[in-house]
Amino acid sequence: MQDTKERIVSLADQLIKSRGYNAFSYKDISDPLEIKNAAIHYHFPTKTDLGMAVIDVEMQHFMAGTGKLAAQPEDKQLKFLFDTFSKKHKEGLVCLMGSLSPDYDTLPEPLQDKISGLSAAILEWTTGCLERGREKGLFRFEGEASDRALLVISNLLASLLLSRVMGSKVFGRITHQLLRDLGAGK
Amino acid sequence: MQDTKERIVSLADQLIKSRGYNAFSYKDISDPLEIKNAAIHYHFPTKTDLGMAVIDVEMQHFMAGTGKLAAQPEDKQLKFLFDTFSKKHKEGLVCLMGSLSPDYDTLPEPLQDKISGLSAAILEWTTGCLERGREKGLFRFEGEASDRALLVISNLLASLLLSRVMGSKVFGRITHQLLRDLGAGK
DNA sequence: TTGTATACTTACTTACAAGTAAGTAATTTT
DNA sequence: AAAATTACTTACTTGTAAGTAAGTATACAA
């Protein structure tokens, strides 16, 4: 039954994005799934193994999602990124990197490396999207595309975090301003 | 000896900003200060009390710092905000809100309220700064000053988080782009 | 039909975080 | 000089997180 394994990863993913890596335990997973904590250790011997699996799945989803859109115009592609974050916002979650980066120094090295890998992939993709979009006249902005991509990611990440602290309207205010700065939808 | 009490808060502040609220324990404070954990409980009966004290001190520092600059031109005032974050960046720390917001939902309500209060104060101050600065021609940007202030705070917060994950150069790249977007120093 | 792999459970161990109760030494107040 | 307050320590308790060793039920394979 691959089913249990997938449910464990899925719940762990949600827990990381809602409460943070250091604030959830195997009990938070075993209780709702009505299994014993040892069942989780059977699939994922250590919490690090589970964390790795969560990031692997996130990476796979990202690759699959962007892969499907590769032929679309860049403004549509960028919308995919914004929609991904918008969905998390509606669920009251933050993004993986937003959740894991404050705890980064407390995480085991293999986990750190996976997180860095994921962030590099997202930055690379966003950079390419903005770069090509600007050439086509879909976006208008100054400076290096990679710097602008960093700004976009930085804002999306923080908008989810700040929504929690400052109220949910913050997400829309930040993303709206962000899109305006890119000269998108113009 | 008020000294011990202050050292406890100061260390707790550093621990929150380096490892996160849920990832530090009283032992991380009692060991370096060479006191017993009960000594911390004497000053701060619960971890929540300690967390509250950390935020209180942060708020006091913010009020004192901005208060001193009230007569200065707005671009200098904004520089104070950037310098505050730059200092944290050099120390490898993130800001309080960056550290506490992912764990927000796991925190006791009084702590949540204090964090929200602090964030509101920072947003209010930044909004005023940008607003008056734009009127004087020190800044140039579109949209509501409060939305732009949100963007500034969002980027500063995220730049510290992302520096950990993506490498320390990220901080400078984000802040540089941010200042350019405000038409500052021009 | 016996054996082996899979997916668990039962029942632990170890470690440590958070908090408390009672005691003590030094200072300060009356 | 006695009493009270301050700032701790000693020595706990309770709870929980992470992990493990050994056993069991089921399926499927040789």
Side-chain angles (χ1 to χ4, degrees), chain A residues 18-20 22-23 97-99 101-106 115-116 119-120 123 142-143 146-148 150-151 154-155 157-158 161-162 164-166 170 173-174 177 180-181, chain B residues 18-20 22-23 97-99 101-106 115-116 119-120 123 142-143 146-148 150-151 154-155 157-158 161-162 164-166 170 173-174 177 180-181:
Chain A
S18 61
R19 296 217 258 283
N22 287 314
M97 274 162 43
S99 174
S101 52
D103 302 339
Y104 192 76
D105 292 349
T106 73
I115 298 164
S116 294
S119 73
L123 177 60
E142 285 174 48
S146 67
D147 288 342
R148 186 58 55 171
L150 206 47
L151 219 72
S154 150
N155 276 293
L157 181 151
L161 295 178
L162 288 174
R164 286 204 173 150
V165 176
M166 307 181 85
V170 159
R173 288 170 65 194
I174 291 179
Q177 200 81 357
R180 172 194 268 213
D181 284 0
Chain B
S18 61
R19 295 217 259 282
N22 287 314
M97 273 161 44
S99 174
S101 53
D103 302 339
Y104 192 76
D105 293 348
T106 73
I115 297 164
S116 294
S119 73
L123 178 61
E142 285 174 47
S146 65
D147 289 340
R148 186 58 56 170
L150 206 45
L151 217 72
S154 149
N155 275 295
L157 181 151
L161 295 178
L162 287 174
R164 287 205 171 150
V165 176
M166 308 180 83
V170 159
R173 289 170 63 193
I174 291 179
Q177 201 80 357
R180 171 194 270 213
D181 285 0

Side-chain angles (χ1 to χ4, degrees), chain B residues 113-124:
Chain B
D113 293 344
K114 269 220 186 295
I115 297 164
S116 294
L118 177 61
S119 73
I122 294 172
L123 178 61
E124 202 177 324

Side-chain angles (χ1 to χ4, degrees), chain B residues 33-178:
Chain B
L33 294 188
E34 288 174 304
I35 55 177
K36 301 296 156 183
N37 75 326
I40 307 176
H41 282 286
Y42 168 74
H43 291 288
F44 304 99
T46 69
K47 200 177 175 182
T48 303
D49 294 319
L50 178 53
M52 304 275 277
V54 168
I55 301 174
D56 281 338
V57 167
E58 182 91 352
M59 177 72 106
Q60 281 160 28
H61 284 174
F62 180 75
M63 298 304 254
T66 55
K68 268 183 199 162
L69 294 167
Q72 303 251 349
E74 280 72 17
D75 54 345
K76 295 265 185 262
Q77 288 189 45
L78 192 70
K79 192 178 179 306
F80 159 78
L81 189 67
F82 277 69
D83 285 348
T84 305
F85 277 81
S86 182
K87 192 182 163 209
K88 278 172 191 157
H89 171 246
K90 275 171 197 150
E91 294 167 340
L93 303 175
V94 302
C95 68
L96 249 196
M97 273 161 44
S99 174
L100 294 176
S101 53
D103 302 339
Y104 192 76
D105 293 348
T106 73
L107 303 175
E109 222 185 284
L111 244 180
Q112 292 185 348
D113 293 344
K114 269 220 186 295
I115 297 164
S116 294
L118 177 61
S119 73
I122 294 172
L123 178 61
E124 202 177 324
W125 178 84
T126 309
T127 299
C129 183
L130 291 183
E131 184 90 75
R132 292 189 307 277
R134 178 162 63 173
E135 280 165 22
K136 287 190 193 168
L138 293 169
F139 305 130
R140 195 172 50 248
F141 59 86
E142 285 174 47
E144 295 266 330
S146 65
D147 289 340
R148 186 58 56 170
L150 206 45
L151 217 72
V152 168
I153 292 166
S154 149
N155 275 295
L156 287 173
L157 181 151
S159 67
L160 293 178
L161 295 178
L162 287 174
S163 285
R164 287 205 171 150
V165 176
M166 308 180 83
S168 87
K169 273 171 287 182
V170 159
F171 179 78
R173 289 170 63 193
I174 291 179
T175 50
H176 177 259
Q177 201 80 357
L178 238 194

Side-chain angles (χ1 to χ4, degrees), chain A residues 9 24 35 41 44 52 60 63-64 72 90 100 104 113 116-117 128 139 155 165 170 175 177 179 184:
Chain A
V9 175
F24 89 89
I35 54 176
H41 282 286
F44 304 100
M52 303 275 274
Q60 281 161 26
M63 299 304 252
Q72 303 250 351
K90 276 172 197 149
L100 294 176
Y104 192 76
D113 293 343
S116 294
F139 305 129
N155 276 293
V165 176
V170 159
T175 51
Q177 200 81 357
L179 285 171

